Amino acid sequence: MLEFLLYMFFSVLETFAMFFLAFSLFKIDFYPIEMIFAGVIMAFFSFVIRVNYKWVEADIIVQYALMFCFFWMLFRIHLFYAAILTGMAYQTYSFIQVVFIILFNRVGFFSTHTFYGIDISAYFMQITSAATGILMGLYIVRKRKGFDFVPDKPNGLIKISRREKLLFILNLPTAAIVISIMYLFNSGYFLAVPIIYGFLLSCYLYLSYTKDRSEDEYVKL
């Protein structure tokens, strides 16, 4: 029972951080109760699939699909932009977590056994990653950064630009890259993971910035 409660708590914390970071980055209103509710649902599915059945790959895919559905159906974000937010949230948070994995592994904080195990080191990594994501979101909100091009209405026709199509394409490898983490963890190729994430995030930020700026210029005219 304790194992279940701890798993639920830290999983909800991480999911909340991902939602918070995504909403901050795209200037979307926060719904804390709904964010926690979504986190509980995702954590329960994760516990059953990952802990009970040991299907780590399936858990990653299910979590990605659930987050997309919550963005779309619970938070009422347009289907197309829900896909963009899901990929952005996953890639940003995974980048943060991979950086901490490398740092903690360098100092011998955990081994390959404890990486997927339930112990103090795993909990500490989750807390550190979630806290970093939330602090980044708070910084974005405080400095009034972020992007405005995600529409508030979930329905209706939208005009999809080339930049938005590219943003959507950047989502496609997300689940595969996340799954690759556990296979590359003990290999010399693991350092390629944060490099790939960094490149994808740079593309996200550049395309989002130019998209927002082009719309501002259009409004001024």
Side-chain angles (χ1 to χ4, degrees), residues 97-124:
Q97 197 165 65
V98 166
V99 170
F100 281 118
I101 289 172
I102 293 174
L103 292 176
F104 292 162
N105 190 50
R106 290 287 185 182
V107 299
F109 192 68
F110 54 62
S111 64
T112 52
H113 174 72
T114 61
F115 180 72
Y116 284 109
I118 299 178
D119 60 12
I120 300 299
S121 60
Y123 294 149
F124 185 74

PDB file of all heavy atoms in Angstrom, residues 97-124:
ATOM      1  N   GLN A  97      14.712  15.915 -17.084  1.00  0.00           N
ATOM      2  CA  GLN A  97      14.968  14.690 -16.337  1.00  0.00           C
ATOM      3  C   GLN A  97      16.233  13.988 -16.799  1.00  0.00           C
ATOM      4  O   GLN A  97      16.999  13.464 -15.975  1.00  0.00           O
ATOM      5  CB  GLN A  97      13.767  13.744 -16.459  1.00  0.00           C
ATOM      6  CG  GLN A  97      13.745  12.654 -15.407  1.00  0.00           C
ATOM      7  CD  GLN A  97      12.398  11.970 -15.328  1.00  0.00           C
ATOM      8  OE1 GLN A  97      11.985  11.315 -16.274  1.00  0.00           O
ATOM      9  NE2 GLN A  97      11.709  12.125 -14.210  1.00  0.00           N
ATOM     10  N   VAL A  98      16.472  13.979 -18.103  1.00  0.00           N
ATOM     11  CA  VAL A  98      17.676  13.330 -18.622  1.00  0.00           C
ATOM     12  C   VAL A  98      18.929  14.042 -18.118  1.00  0.00           C
ATOM     13  O   VAL A  98      19.937  13.398 -17.790  1.00  0.00           O
ATOM     14  CB  VAL A  98      17.644  13.301 -20.165  1.00  0.00           C
ATOM     15  CG1 VAL A  98      19.013  12.944 -20.727  1.00  0.00           C
ATOM     16  CG2 VAL A  98      16.616  12.283 -20.648  1.00  0.00           C
ATOM     17  N   VAL A  99      18.888  15.354 -18.051  1.00  0.00           N
ATOM     18  CA  VAL A  99      20.033  16.110 -17.530  1.00  0.00           C
ATOM     19  C   VAL A  99      20.323  15.691 -16.087  1.00  0.00           C
ATOM     20  O   VAL A  99      21.484  15.463 -15.716  1.00  0.00           O
ATOM     21  CB  VAL A  99      19.766  17.624 -17.610  1.00  0.00           C
ATOM     22  CG1 VAL A  99      20.839  18.404 -16.845  1.00  0.00           C
ATOM     23  CG2 VAL A  99      19.732  18.084 -19.063  1.00  0.00           C
ATOM     24  N   PHE A 100      19.275  15.564 -15.261  1.00  0.00           N
ATOM     25  CA  PHE A 100      19.481  15.139 -13.875  1.00  0.00           C
ATOM     26  C   PHE A 100      19.940  13.689 -13.800  1.00  0.00           C
ATOM     27  O   PHE A 100      20.736  13.328 -12.921  1.00  0.00           O
ATOM     28  CB  PHE A 100      18.198  15.333 -13.070  1.00  0.00           C
ATOM     29  CG  PHE A 100      17.959  16.750 -12.643  1.00  0.00           C
ATOM     30  CD1 PHE A 100      16.846  17.450 -13.072  1.00  0.00           C
ATOM     31  CD2 PHE A 100      18.861  17.405 -11.812  1.00  0.00           C
ATOM     32  CE1 PHE A 100      16.627  18.758 -12.685  1.00  0.00           C
ATOM     33  CE2 PHE A 100      18.659  18.714 -11.418  1.00  0.00           C
ATOM     34  CZ  PHE A 100      17.534  19.398 -11.858  1.00  0.00           C
ATOM     35  N   ILE A 101      19.444  12.847 -14.703  1.00  0.00           N
ATOM     36  CA  ILE A 101      19.893  11.446 -14.726  1.00  0.00           C
ATOM     37  C   ILE A 101      21.396  11.384 -14.976  1.00  0.00           C
ATOM     38  O   ILE A 101      22.126  10.650 -14.301  1.00  0.00           O
ATOM     39  CB  ILE A 101      19.137  10.659 -15.813  1.00  0.00           C
ATOM     40  CG1 ILE A 101      17.680  10.451 -15.398  1.00  0.00           C
ATOM     41  CG2 ILE A 101      19.801   9.301 -16.058  1.00  0.00           C
ATOM     42  CD1 ILE A 101      16.823   9.852 -16.494  1.00  0.00           C
ATOM     43  N   ILE A 102      21.857  12.166 -15.941  1.00  0.00           N
ATOM     44  CA  ILE A 102      23.292  12.167 -16.250  1.00  0.00           C
ATOM     45  C   ILE A 102      24.096  12.689 -15.064  1.00  0.00           C
ATOM     46  O   ILE A 102      25.126  12.106 -14.679  1.00  0.00           O
ATOM     47  CB  ILE A 102      23.553  13.025 -17.503  1.00  0.00           C
ATOM     48  CG1 ILE A 102      22.924  12.360 -18.741  1.00  0.00           C
ATOM     49  CG2 ILE A 102      25.056  13.219 -17.725  1.00  0.00           C
ATOM     50  CD1 ILE A 102      22.995  13.204 -19.998  1.00  0.00           C
ATOM     51  N   LEU A 103      23.632  13.777 -14.460  1.00  0.00           N
ATOM     52  CA  LEU A 103      24.353  14.348 -13.314  1.00  0.00           C
ATOM     53  C   LEU A 103      24.393  13.381 -12.140  1.00  0.00           C
ATOM     54  O   LEU A 103      25.454  13.162 -11.536  1.00  0.00           O
ATOM     55  CB  LEU A 103      23.690  15.663 -12.886  1.00  0.00           C
ATOM     56  CG  LEU A 103      23.801  16.836 -13.864  1.00  0.00           C
ATOM     57  CD1 LEU A 103      23.010  18.034 -13.345  1.00  0.00           C
ATOM     58  CD2 LEU A 103      25.264  17.238 -14.059  1.00  0.00           C
ATOM     59  N   PHE A 104      23.242  12.787 -11.810  1.00  0.00           N
ATOM     60  CA  PHE A 104      23.184  11.867 -10.677  1.00  0.00           C
ATOM     61  C   PHE A 104      23.981  10.594 -10.947  1.00  0.00           C
ATOM     62  O   PHE A 104      24.599  10.026 -10.046  1.00  0.00           O
ATOM     63  CB  PHE A 104      21.735  11.513 -10.354  1.00  0.00           C
ATOM     64  CG  PHE A 104      20.935  12.674  -9.804  1.00  0.00           C
ATOM     65  CD1 PHE A 104      19.548  12.639  -9.809  1.00  0.00           C
ATOM     66  CD2 PHE A 104      21.561  13.793  -9.290  1.00  0.00           C
ATOM     67  CE1 PHE A 104      18.807  13.710  -9.312  1.00  0.00           C
ATOM     68  CE2 PHE A 104      20.844  14.865  -8.794  1.00  0.00           C
ATOM     69  CZ  PHE A 104      19.461  14.823  -8.807  1.00  0.00           C
ATOM     70  N   ASN A 105      23.968  10.157 -12.210  1.00  0.00           N
ATOM     71  CA  ASN A 105      24.712   8.955 -12.541  1.00  0.00           C
ATOM     72  C   ASN A 105      26.217   9.203 -12.472  1.00  0.00           C
ATOM     73  O   ASN A 105      26.988   8.323 -12.086  1.00  0.00           O
ATOM     74  CB  ASN A 105      24.318   8.473 -13.940  1.00  0.00           C
ATOM     75  CG  ASN A 105      24.864   7.097 -14.254  1.00  0.00           C
ATOM     76  OD1 ASN A 105      24.714   6.163 -13.473  1.00  0.00           O
ATOM     77  ND2 ASN A 105      25.517   6.959 -15.401  1.00  0.00           N
ATOM     78  N   ARG A 106      26.621  10.416 -12.823  1.00  0.00           N
ATOM     79  CA  ARG A 106      28.048  10.763 -12.775  1.00  0.00           C
ATOM     80  C   ARG A 106      28.586  10.702 -11.353  1.00  0.00           C
ATOM     81  O   ARG A 106      29.734  10.301 -11.132  1.00  0.00           O
ATOM     82  CB  ARG A 106      28.262  12.171 -13.343  1.00  0.00           C
ATOM     83  CG  ARG A 106      28.052  12.282 -14.844  1.00  0.00           C
ATOM     84  CD  ARG A 106      29.177  11.654 -15.612  1.00  0.00           C
ATOM     85  NE  ARG A 106      29.019  11.876 -17.053  1.00  0.00           N
ATOM     86  CZ  ARG A 106      29.850  11.399 -17.955  1.00  0.00           C
ATOM     87  NH1 ARG A 106      30.902  10.684 -17.584  1.00  0.00           N
ATOM     88  NH2 ARG A 106      29.643  11.622 -19.240  1.00  0.00           N
ATOM     89  N   VAL A 107      27.765  11.107 -10.405  1.00  0.00           N
ATOM     90  CA  VAL A 107      28.213  11.107  -9.011  1.00  0.00           C
ATOM     91  C   VAL A 107      27.855   9.804  -8.296  1.00  0.00           C
ATOM     92  O   VAL A 107      28.060   9.678  -7.094  1.00  0.00           O
ATOM     93  CB  VAL A 107      27.614  12.305  -8.239  1.00  0.00           C
ATOM     94  CG1 VAL A 107      28.064  13.615  -8.868  1.00  0.00           C
ATOM     95  CG2 VAL A 107      26.088  12.228  -8.193  1.00  0.00           C
ATOM     96  N   GLY A 108      27.310   8.837  -9.053  1.00  0.00           N
ATOM     97  CA  GLY A 108      26.983   7.543  -8.468  1.00  0.00           C
ATOM     98  C   GLY A 108      25.779   7.565  -7.565  1.00  0.00           C
ATOM     99  O   GLY A 108      25.676   6.757  -6.631  1.00  0.00           O
ATOM    100  N   PHE A 109      24.840   8.487  -7.843  1.00  0.00           N
ATOM    101  CA  PHE A 109      23.682   8.614  -6.967  1.00  0.00           C
ATOM    102  C   PHE A 109      22.714   7.452  -7.117  1.00  0.00           C
ATOM    103  O   PHE A 109      22.030   7.069  -6.186  1.00  0.00           O
ATOM    104  CB  PHE A 109      22.962   9.932  -7.258  1.00  0.00           C
ATOM    105  CG  PHE A 109      21.939  10.293  -6.216  1.00  0.00           C
ATOM    106  CD1 PHE A 109      22.330  10.633  -4.937  1.00  0.00           C
ATOM    107  CD2 PHE A 109      20.592  10.279  -6.519  1.00  0.00           C
ATOM    108  CE1 PHE A 109      21.405  10.961  -3.966  1.00  0.00           C
ATOM    109  CE2 PHE A 109      19.651  10.614  -5.557  1.00  0.00           C
ATOM    110  CZ  PHE A 109      20.055  10.959  -4.281  1.00  0.00           C
ATOM    111  N   PHE A 110      22.615   6.899  -8.312  1.00  0.00           N
ATOM    112  CA  PHE A 110      21.808   5.698  -8.486  1.00  0.00           C
ATOM    113  C   PHE A 110      22.417   4.831  -9.575  1.00  0.00           C
ATOM    114  O   PHE A 110      23.227   5.279 -10.377  1.00  0.00           O
ATOM    115  CB  PHE A 110      20.349   6.017  -8.816  1.00  0.00           C
ATOM    116  CG  PHE A 110      20.129   6.928  -9.984  1.00  0.00           C
ATOM    117  CD1 PHE A 110      20.535   6.580 -11.266  1.00  0.00           C
ATOM    118  CD2 PHE A 110      19.505   8.146  -9.802  1.00  0.00           C
ATOM    119  CE1 PHE A 110      20.329   7.420 -12.332  1.00  0.00           C
ATOM    120  CE2 PHE A 110      19.297   8.994 -10.874  1.00  0.00           C
ATOM    121  CZ  PHE A 110      19.707   8.635 -12.138  1.00  0.00           C
ATOM    122  N   SER A 111      22.004   3.577  -9.585  1.00  0.00           N
ATOM    123  CA  SER A 111      22.483   2.620 -10.569  1.00  0.00           C
ATOM    124  C   SER A 111      21.364   2.314 -11.545  1.00  0.00           C
ATOM    125  O   SER A 111      20.265   2.835 -11.445  1.00  0.00           O
ATOM    126  CB  SER A 111      22.934   1.323  -9.868  1.00  0.00           C
ATOM    127  OG  SER A 111      21.827   0.714  -9.247  1.00  0.00           O
ATOM    128  N   THR A 112      21.626   1.394 -12.485  1.00  0.00           N
ATOM    129  CA  THR A 112      20.583   1.020 -13.438  1.00  0.00           C
ATOM    130  C   THR A 112      19.428   0.339 -12.722  1.00  0.00           C
ATOM    131  O   THR A 112      18.290   0.413 -13.166  1.00  0.00           O
ATOM    132  CB  THR A 112      21.153   0.066 -14.498  1.00  0.00           C
ATOM    133  OG1 THR A 112      21.807  -1.032 -13.834  1.00  0.00           O
ATOM    134  CG2 THR A 112      22.141   0.774 -15.394  1.00  0.00           C
ATOM    135  N   HIS A 113      19.696  -0.321 -11.611  1.00  0.00           N
ATOM    136  CA  HIS A 113      18.622  -0.986 -10.863  1.00  0.00           C
ATOM    137  C   HIS A 113      17.709   0.042 -10.202  1.00  0.00           C
ATOM    138  O   HIS A 113      16.483  -0.070 -10.266  1.00  0.00           O
ATOM    139  CB  HIS A 113      19.221  -1.909  -9.800  1.00  0.00           C
ATOM    140  CG  HIS A 113      18.187  -2.523  -8.901  1.00  0.00           C
ATOM    141  ND1 HIS A 113      17.331  -3.516  -9.326  1.00  0.00           N
ATOM    142  CD2 HIS A 113      17.843  -2.257  -7.608  1.00  0.00           C
ATOM    143  CE1 HIS A 113      16.514  -3.854  -8.326  1.00  0.00           C
ATOM    144  NE2 HIS A 113      16.817  -3.095  -7.281  1.00  0.00           N
ATOM    145  N   THR A 114      18.308   1.049  -9.606  1.00  0.00           N
ATOM    146  CA  THR A 114      17.495   2.041  -8.909  1.00  0.00           C
ATOM    147  C   THR A 114      16.842   3.033  -9.855  1.00  0.00           C
ATOM    148  O   THR A 114      15.946   3.755  -9.458  1.00  0.00           O
ATOM    149  CB  THR A 114      18.349   2.822  -7.884  1.00  0.00           C
ATOM    150  OG1 THR A 114      19.395   3.509  -8.581  1.00  0.00           O
ATOM    151  CG2 THR A 114      18.945   1.901  -6.861  1.00  0.00           C
ATOM    152  N   PHE A 115      17.313   3.071 -11.127  1.00  0.00           N
ATOM    153  CA  PHE A 115      16.725   4.027 -12.070  1.00  0.00           C
ATOM    154  C   PHE A 115      15.241   3.764 -12.267  1.00  0.00           C
ATOM    155  O   PHE A 115      14.433   4.676 -12.286  1.00  0.00           O
ATOM    156  CB  PHE A 115      17.455   3.938 -13.416  1.00  0.00           C
ATOM    157  CG  PHE A 115      16.921   4.886 -14.434  1.00  0.00           C
ATOM    158  CD1 PHE A 115      17.161   6.238 -14.321  1.00  0.00           C
ATOM    159  CD2 PHE A 115      16.166   4.438 -15.498  1.00  0.00           C
ATOM    160  CE1 PHE A 115      16.670   7.129 -15.250  1.00  0.00           C
ATOM    161  CE2 PHE A 115      15.667   5.316 -16.429  1.00  0.00           C
ATOM    162  CZ  PHE A 115      15.928   6.667 -16.312  1.00  0.00           C
ATOM    163  N   TYR A 116      14.853   2.512 -12.406  1.00  0.00           N
ATOM    164  CA  TYR A 116      13.436   2.175 -12.528  1.00  0.00           C
ATOM    165  C   TYR A 116      12.870   1.609 -11.237  1.00  0.00           C
ATOM    166  O   TYR A 116      11.698   1.259 -11.174  1.00  0.00           O
ATOM    167  CB  TYR A 116      13.224   1.171 -13.674  1.00  0.00           C
ATOM    168  CG  TYR A 116      13.317   1.807 -15.028  1.00  0.00           C
ATOM    169  CD1 TYR A 116      14.403   1.545 -15.857  1.00  0.00           C
ATOM    170  CD2 TYR A 116      12.347   2.691 -15.468  1.00  0.00           C
ATOM    171  CE1 TYR A 116      14.502   2.139 -17.090  1.00  0.00           C
ATOM    172  CE2 TYR A 116      12.442   3.286 -16.703  1.00  0.00           C
ATOM    173  CZ  TYR A 116      13.517   3.003 -17.517  1.00  0.00           C
ATOM    174  OH  TYR A 116      13.611   3.609 -18.739  1.00  0.00           O
ATOM    175  N   GLY A 117      13.679   1.499 -10.231  1.00  0.00           N
ATOM    176  CA  GLY A 117      13.187   0.994  -8.963  1.00  0.00           C
ATOM    177  C   GLY A 117      12.494   2.070  -8.162  1.00  0.00           C
ATOM    178  O   GLY A 117      12.498   3.240  -8.499  1.00  0.00           O
ATOM    179  N   ILE A 118      11.891   1.642  -7.077  1.00  0.00           N
ATOM    180  CA  ILE A 118      11.196   2.587  -6.199  1.00  0.00           C
ATOM    181  C   ILE A 118      12.051   2.748  -4.956  1.00  0.00           C
ATOM    182  O   ILE A 118      12.036   1.907  -4.069  1.00  0.00           O
ATOM    183  CB  ILE A 118       9.787   2.079  -5.845  1.00  0.00           C
ATOM    184  CG1 ILE A 118       8.964   1.924  -7.121  1.00  0.00           C
ATOM    185  CG2 ILE A 118       9.103   2.999  -4.871  1.00  0.00           C
ATOM    186  CD1 ILE A 118       7.574   1.373  -6.894  1.00  0.00           C
ATOM    187  N   ASP A 119      12.841   3.793  -4.892  1.00  0.00           N
ATOM    188  CA  ASP A 119      13.711   4.023  -3.749  1.00  0.00           C
ATOM    189  C   ASP A 119      13.944   5.522  -3.590  1.00  0.00           C
ATOM    190  O   ASP A 119      13.408   6.337  -4.335  1.00  0.00           O
ATOM    191  CB  ASP A 119      15.022   3.240  -3.884  1.00  0.00           C
ATOM    192  CG  ASP A 119      15.796   3.638  -5.127  1.00  0.00           C
ATOM    193  OD1 ASP A 119      15.448   4.659  -5.740  1.00  0.00           O
ATOM    194  OD2 ASP A 119      16.748   2.930  -5.482  1.00  0.00           O
ATOM    195  N   ILE A 120      14.768   5.863  -2.628  1.00  0.00           N
ATOM    196  CA  ILE A 120      14.992   7.265  -2.303  1.00  0.00           C
ATOM    197  C   ILE A 120      15.589   8.027  -3.485  1.00  0.00           C
ATOM    198  O   ILE A 120      15.190   9.165  -3.777  1.00  0.00           O
ATOM    199  CB  ILE A 120      15.908   7.393  -1.072  1.00  0.00           C
ATOM    200  CG1 ILE A 120      15.271   6.709   0.144  1.00  0.00           C
ATOM    201  CG2 ILE A 120      16.192   8.862  -0.786  1.00  0.00           C
ATOM    202  CD1 ILE A 120      13.944   7.300   0.545  1.00  0.00           C
ATOM    203  N   SER A 121      16.542   7.426  -4.177  1.00  0.00           N
ATOM    204  CA  SER A 121      17.191   8.128  -5.282  1.00  0.00           C
ATOM    205  C   SER A 121      16.211   8.421  -6.412  1.00  0.00           C
ATOM    206  O   SER A 121      16.257   9.491  -7.023  1.00  0.00           O
ATOM    207  CB  SER A 121      18.378   7.305  -5.811  1.00  0.00           C
ATOM    208  OG  SER A 121      17.934   6.035  -6.271  1.00  0.00           O
ATOM    209  N   ALA A 122      15.319   7.473  -6.702  1.00  0.00           N
ATOM    210  CA  ALA A 122      14.317   7.689  -7.750  1.00  0.00           C
ATOM    211  C   ALA A 122      13.360   8.804  -7.346  1.00  0.00           C
ATOM    212  O   ALA A 122      12.996   9.658  -8.164  1.00  0.00           O
ATOM    213  CB  ALA A 122      13.555   6.399  -8.029  1.00  0.00           C
ATOM    214  N   TYR A 123      12.939   8.793  -6.079  1.00  0.00           N
ATOM    215  CA  TYR A 123      12.048   9.847  -5.596  1.00  0.00           C
ATOM    216  C   TYR A 123      12.719  11.216  -5.668  1.00  0.00           C
ATOM    217  O   TYR A 123      12.087  12.214  -6.038  1.00  0.00           O
ATOM    218  CB  TYR A 123      11.624   9.565  -4.152  1.00  0.00           C
ATOM    219  CG  TYR A 123      10.772   8.334  -3.993  1.00  0.00           C
ATOM    220  CD1 TYR A 123      10.820   7.591  -2.822  1.00  0.00           C
ATOM    221  CD2 TYR A 123       9.913   7.924  -4.999  1.00  0.00           C
ATOM    222  CE1 TYR A 123      10.032   6.465  -2.660  1.00  0.00           C
ATOM    223  CE2 TYR A 123       9.126   6.795  -4.847  1.00  0.00           C
ATOM    224  CZ  TYR A 123       9.193   6.065  -3.677  1.00  0.00           C
ATOM    225  OH  TYR A 123       8.419   4.955  -3.519  1.00  0.00           O
ATOM    226  N   PHE A 124      13.989  11.255  -5.282  1.00  0.00           N
ATOM    227  CA  PHE A 124      14.707  12.525  -5.299  1.00  0.00           C
ATOM    228  C   PHE A 124      14.826  13.068  -6.716  1.00  0.00           C
ATOM    229  O   PHE A 124      14.696  14.275  -6.947  1.00  0.00           O
ATOM    230  CB  PHE A 124      16.097  12.353  -4.687  1.00  0.00           C
ATOM    231  CG  PHE A 124      16.863  13.641  -4.558  1.00  0.00           C
ATOM    232  CD1 PHE A 124      16.532  14.563  -3.586  1.00  0.00           C
ATOM    233  CD2 PHE A 124      17.905  13.925  -5.425  1.00  0.00           C
ATOM    234  CE1 PHE A 124      17.228  15.762  -3.466  1.00  0.00           C
ATOM    235  CE2 PHE A 124      18.613  15.118  -5.321  1.00  0.00           C
ATOM    236  CZ  PHE A 124      18.271  16.032  -4.341  1.00  0.00           C
TER     237      PHE A 124
END
